[in-house]
Amino acid sequence: MSHSSLSAVRSDTPPSVSCPQCGRSVAWTAESTYRPFCSRRCRMIDLGDWLDERHQIPGEPAMPDGDDEDADA
């Protein structure tokens, strides 16, 4: 591929992603402090969802519930 072909593929526009919370377009640059989120608000809403266990990673729990261990004591 020639140098002129490479320059045609490149773009001065930074890549962008959609905010996982609201869907707004976010430029993937160092200036986008909250990337992939568009704002602190969206980032905090997402964190709250994880803390309230509305989001989960599928699979077996890494640690079993402690209820069974307490019954032996």
Side-chain angles (χ1 to χ4, degrees):
M1 190 179 279
S2 70
H3 178 67
S4 60
S5 298
L6 285 176
S7 62
V9 173
R10 293 183 185 162
S11 173
D12 292 336
T13 306
S16 64
V17 296
S18 295
C19 174
Q21 191 62 41
C22 71
R24 184 181 301 167
S25 181
V26 179
W28 197 264
T29 64
E31 290 80 27
S32 300
T33 307
Y34 302 108
R35 70 180 184 265
F37 301 99
C38 66
S39 64
R40 182 176 189 273
R41 178 182 181 275
C42 282
R43 183 177 74 171
M44 297 306 289
I45 290 170
D46 186 73
L47 176 61
D49 288 345
W50 281 101
L51 295 174
D52 288 339
E53 297 183 359
R54 285 185 225 136
H55 296 307
Q56 297 179 11
I57 298 173
E60 296 295 318
M63 296 173 51
D65 288 339
D67 297 338
D68 296 333
E69 294 174 21
D70 294 337
D72 294 336

